[in-house]
């Protein structure tokens, strides 16, 4: 068939339309789903440095952390129970994401967000009033279910609502909200740690209800995406919605492509079975490896254990929390850089630049810690030396925040065809949560045993993932979401997995006509 011949020219055409205020505001509301994830990442590491919290739930860790500083600081917080407090959320999110896939496909993206918000709200309430470790962990599990539903639906919603040429910018709004959530949590931890009476940790954990309330109420006012409406048989509503979100009546080309994608999706009765088909091998590989690599950058070690990490390497309690605030600020501003550049520079350039920057910083931070602490873990840091450690951690965070942070959610959400999109996003979320869980559960133990070598460990993975992106990830900027198959067909390696008959001649040949134009933007 002709399909194989035409894809070599580049990326698909753009559709008419503009960024309307309606799309902008709905995207902002939907992106607030990232607040609940970010707030939890920031809050959990902070409360685990608060003495009243440790004394109530983890007394053994409290006693160990108060031992003389001449002892091995690498192992001060090594506790499986403490790690389970942090990591139980991610295990629950992993399982919940599979159920969220069915909800997202059958009822629409907004109701998955709503369910996630409600569940997170209940979990926050339980944590705020926790009396024992069981109540604490149960609350964390409910928080995890909320995160699983939100992370499954929000990136897909944003990718479907956005015009192709601005999809990166709008989708990264999700990551921006994650970073704002982390920063907010760090600031709240810094404030509540000063509350006398030992109940500040309850305020930190209970205030998670605020971002949960925002996404819960906000989701009620969100419209369905045209893709979801067509998928569920509401063709007329989909056409009206497409006109509204594109701000033009010239939506027939895009609408016809969405209908064609939906018709193909209807032929797929079992998306979980079909996703392993040869023609979906490129997308499936990315849905597994991108979130896998994202967690092995080591970023969540920095984000949800930042106060513990800084305290371990010699910062005082308040200084550790303030250092976490500083890294949180860097995270937010660097994510804004990604928003402004992702649709101009493209995904690949940001991945490669960010990866190189993170690798250099991992080596430097590991070396700085090695020089002072060695393998004994016994040392104190001067203010100047501590400042250098924080500086390079901030440069590392900036590299992540404009590359693997936002792109780890953007790229998997934009590459799947409609028929397997919900299943594909569930795999993306579940792999992300699985390795977040494993690293959260193992990090403090790894720090105890690997010491400064832990930074070299993550640096090695950054080198591997940067090489992988260079060789195997094609550029996806400016490509309509339902025409992404052409990008894979044109790739030097993935093209051999996609047969000519997998290219829909009528739709995809037309979409391919403007390839060189889109690819050069």
């Amino acid at each position: 068939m002709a399909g194989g011949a035409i894809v070599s020219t580049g990326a698909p055409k753009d559709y008419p339309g503009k960024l309307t205020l309606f799309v902008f505001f709905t995207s902002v509301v939907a992106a607030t789903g990232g607040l609940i994830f970010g707030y939890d990442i920031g809050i959990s590491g902070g409360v685990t440095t608060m003495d009243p919290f440790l004394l109530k739930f983890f007394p053994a860790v409290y006693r160990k952390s108060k031992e003389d500083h001449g002892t091995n600081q690498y192992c001060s917080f090594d506790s499986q129970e403490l790690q389970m407090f942090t990591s139980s959320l991610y295990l629950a999110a992993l399982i919940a994401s599979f159920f969220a896939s069915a909800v997202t496909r059958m009822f629409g993206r907004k109701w998955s967000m709503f369910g996630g918000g409600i569940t997170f709200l209940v979990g926050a309430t339980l944590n705020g009033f926790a009396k024992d470790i069981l109540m604490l962990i149960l609350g964390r599990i409910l928080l995890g279910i909320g995160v699983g539903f939100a992370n499954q639906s929000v990136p897909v919603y944003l990718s479907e609502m956005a015009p192709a040429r601005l999809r990166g910018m709008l989708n990264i709004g999700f990551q921006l909200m994650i970073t704002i959530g982390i920063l907010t949590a760090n600031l709240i931890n810094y404030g509540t740690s000063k509350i006398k009476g030992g109940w500040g940790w309850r305020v930190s954990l209970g205030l998670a209800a605020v971002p949960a309330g925002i996404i819960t109420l906000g989701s009620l006012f969100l419209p369905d995406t045209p893709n979801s409406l067509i998928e569920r048989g509401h063709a007329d509503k989909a056409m009206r919605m497409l006109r509204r979100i594109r701000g033009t009546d010239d939506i027939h080309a895009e609408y016809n492509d969405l209908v064609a994608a939906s018709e193909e999706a209807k032929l797929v009765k079992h998306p979980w079975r079909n996703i392993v088909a040869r023609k979906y091998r490129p997308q499936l590989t990315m849905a597994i490896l991108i979130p896998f690599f994202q967690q092995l950058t080591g970023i969540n070690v920095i984000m949800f254990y930042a106060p513990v990490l800084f305290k371990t390497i010699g910062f005082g309690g308040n200084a550790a929390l303030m250092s976490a605030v500083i890294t949180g600020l860097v995270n937010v501003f660097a994510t804004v850089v990604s928003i402004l550049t992702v649709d101009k520079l493209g995904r690949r350039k940001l991945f490669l630049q960010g990866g190189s920057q993170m690798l250099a910083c991992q080596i430097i931070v590991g070396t700085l810690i090695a020089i002072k602490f060695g393998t004994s873990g016994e040392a104190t840091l001067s203010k100047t030396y501590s400042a250098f450690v924080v500086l390079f951690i901030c440069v590392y965070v900036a590299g992540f925040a404009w590359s693997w942070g936002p792109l780890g959610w953007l790229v998997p959400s934009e590459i799947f065809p409609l028929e397997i999109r919900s299943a594909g996003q569930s795999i993306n979320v579940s792999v992300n949560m699985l390795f977040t869980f494993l690293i959260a559960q193992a990090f403090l133990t790894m720090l105890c045993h690997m010491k400064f070598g832990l930074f070299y460990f993550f640096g090695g993975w950054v080198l591997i993932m940067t090489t992988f992106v260079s060789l195997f990830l094609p550029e996806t900027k400016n490509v309509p979401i339902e025409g992404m198959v052409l990008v894979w067909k044109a790739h030097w390696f993935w093209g051999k997995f996609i047969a000519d008959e997998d290219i829909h001649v009528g739709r995809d040949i037309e979409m391919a006509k403007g390839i060189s134009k889109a690819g050069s933007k």
Side-chain angles (χ1 to χ4, degrees):
M1 293 174 67
I6 55 90
V7 289
S8 60
T9 51
K13 68 175 183 180
D14 195 7
Y15 295 115
K18 59 186 179 181
L19 175 61
T20 62
L21 279 175
F22 180 71
V23 167
F24 178 78
F25 284 120
T26 56
S27 295
V28 169
V29 172
T32 59
L35 286 175
I36 62 176
F37 189 30
Y39 186 87
D40 182 79
I41 290 173
I43 217 71
S44 56
V47 297
T48 53
T49 65
M50 296 182 188
D51 288 347
F53 177 83
L54 290 175
L55 194 57
K56 183 173 181 62
F57 297 108
F58 306 100
V61 177
Y62 172 78
R63 289 191 296 271
K64 195 173 183 181
S65 69
K66 295 302 178 185
E67 289 177 1
D68 182 75
H69 284 281
T71 60
N72 187 342
Q73 291 300 295
Y74 289 123
C75 301
S76 295
F77 291 88
D78 182 18
S79 164
Q80 286 298 309
E81 284 186 338
L82 184 59
Q83 290 173 141
M84 180 56 74
F85 163 73
T86 298
S87 62
S88 57
L89 180 147
Y90 304 102
L91 186 60
L94 186 163
I95 297 169
S97 66
F98 291 104
F99 294 97
S101 171
V103 173
T104 301
R105 181 167 179 155
M106 291 188 291
F107 300 105
R109 288 55 168 145
K110 63 179 288 183
W111 293 114
S112 190
M113 295 182 219
F114 177 78
I118 284 287
T119 311
F120 198 92
L121 190 61
V122 176
T125 304
L126 279 178
N127 273 182
F129 291 98
K131 301 293 185 183
D132 52 41
I133 189 70
L134 180 63
M135 194 172 174
L136 193 69
I137 298 297
L138 179 59
R140 295 286 296 168
I141 290 171
L142 291 174
L143 294 178
I145 293 171
V147 166
F149 271 77
N151 286 14
Q152 201 281 338
S153 53
V154 172
V156 169
Y157 184 92
L158 294 172
S159 287
E160 290 181 343
M161 289 293 280
R165 63 185 176 277
L166 297 173
R167 187 173 60 244
M169 179 187 76
L170 292 178
N171 189 287
I172 291 175
F174 176 67
Q175 177 67 17
L176 179 63
M177 290 296 178
I178 292 177
T179 63
I180 290 173
I182 293 171
L183 175 61
T184 302
N186 288 336
L187 289 169
I188 288 172
N189 279 336
Y190 185 73
T192 58
S193 67
K194 299 178 182 297
I195 294 177
K196 295 180 179 179
W199 50 271
W201 62 269
R202 291 192 183 276
V203 178
S204 291
L205 294 178
L207 282 177
V210 175
I214 292 173
I215 185 59
T216 301
L217 293 175
S219 63
L220 294 176
F221 297 97
L222 289 177
D224 279 312
T225 67
N227 312 60
S228 178
L229 288 168
I230 291 173
E231 186 179 30
R232 292 181 287 124
H234 305 295
D236 291 339
K237 286 183 180 179
M239 183 172 280
R240 290 195 297 271
M241 182 55 62
L242 196 57
R243 284 197 184 97
R244 188 175 184 187
I245 66 175
R246 297 293 178 254
T248 178
D249 288 330
D250 187 12
I251 48 90
H252 297 289
E254 184 173 5
Y255 177 78
N256 290 337
D257 288 337
L258 294 180
V259 171
S262 179
E263 290 302 317
E264 181 177 357
K266 290 177 182 177
L267 300 176
V268 178
K269 302 300 181 185
H270 304 286
W272 290 102
R273 187 183 305 163
N274 281 72
I275 203 170
V276 299
R278 180 180 174 85
K279 65 179 179 177
Y280 300 131
R281 199 67 48 79
Q283 297 95 324
L284 181 60
T285 301
M286 295 300 163
I288 293 172
L289 288 184
I290 286 179
F292 168 73
F293 285 144
Q294 187 191 51
Q295 294 313 308
L296 285 171
T297 59
I299 187 62
N300 279 345
V301 166
I302 301 297
M303 287 295 106
F304 54 58
Y305 284 123
V308 170
L309 179 63
F310 286 128
K311 201 169 182 180
T312 295
I313 61 176
F315 291 70
N318 285 337
L321 288 171
M322 181 50 70
S323 298
V325 170
I326 293 170
T327 57
L329 276 168
V330 171
N331 201 12
V332 171
F333 286 113
T335 302
V336 173
V337 172
S338 185
I339 288 174
L340 297 176
T341 58
V342 67
D343 291 313
K344 297 176 182 177
L345 298 178
R347 285 64 161 149
R348 279 175 52 84
K349 287 182 180 178
L350 291 179
F351 265 131
L352 297 175
Q353 191 283 327
S356 301
Q357 184 169 319
M358 286 190 293
L359 174 59
C361 290
Q362 293 278 32
I363 293 172
I364 292 171
V365 171
T367 302
L368 286 173
I369 294 176
I371 290 171
K372 281 293 184 180
F373 286 91
T375 56
S376 68
E378 299 177 11
T380 55
L381 301 181
S382 67
K383 287 186 177 180
T384 302
Y385 206 89
S386 299
F388 271 104
V389 173
V390 174
L391 171 65
F392 283 105
I393 285 179
C394 285
V395 176
Y396 160 80
V397 169
F400 175 85
W402 59 54
S403 63
W404 279 92
L407 301 182
W409 293 105
L410 167 61
V411 173
S413 75
E414 68 182 358
I415 61 176
F416 281 98
L418 183 63
E419 62 267 22
I420 56 169
R421 188 168 300 149
S422 292
Q425 182 64 9
S426 288
I427 291 174
N428 175 44
V429 173
S430 62
V431 172
N432 191 299
M433 293 301 118
L434 173 62
F435 284 95
T436 304
F437 165 76
L438 292 175
I439 290 174
Q441 187 63 24
F443 167 66
L444 295 177
T445 301
M446 290 170 70
L447 179 63
C448 180
H449 293 282
M450 296 179 69
K451 304 176 173 59
F452 62 85
L454 186 60
F455 293 92
Y456 298 149
F457 170 79
F458 287 120
W461 279 106
V462 171
L463 177 62
I464 292 171
M465 65 187 73
T466 303
T467 304
F468 173 83
V469 166
S470 177
L471 294 175
F472 297 108
L473 182 67
E475 183 54 67
T476 57
K477 72 169 183 175
N478 301 325
V479 182
I481 195 169
E482 302 301 350
M484 201 65 70
V485 64
L486 296 168
V487 173
W488 301 109
K489 182 63 178 172
H491 190 265
W492 71 271
F493 179 78
W494 299 118
K496 60 190 174 186
F497 290 92
I498 303 171
D500 288 350
E501 53 267 29
D502 295 327
I503 305 294
H504 307 283
V505 177
R507 175 165 59 103
D508 292 338
I509 287 183
E510 177 61 26
M511 291 179 72
K513 288 181 179 176
I515 286 189
S516 57
K517 175 184 174 184
S520 62
K521 287 181 181 177

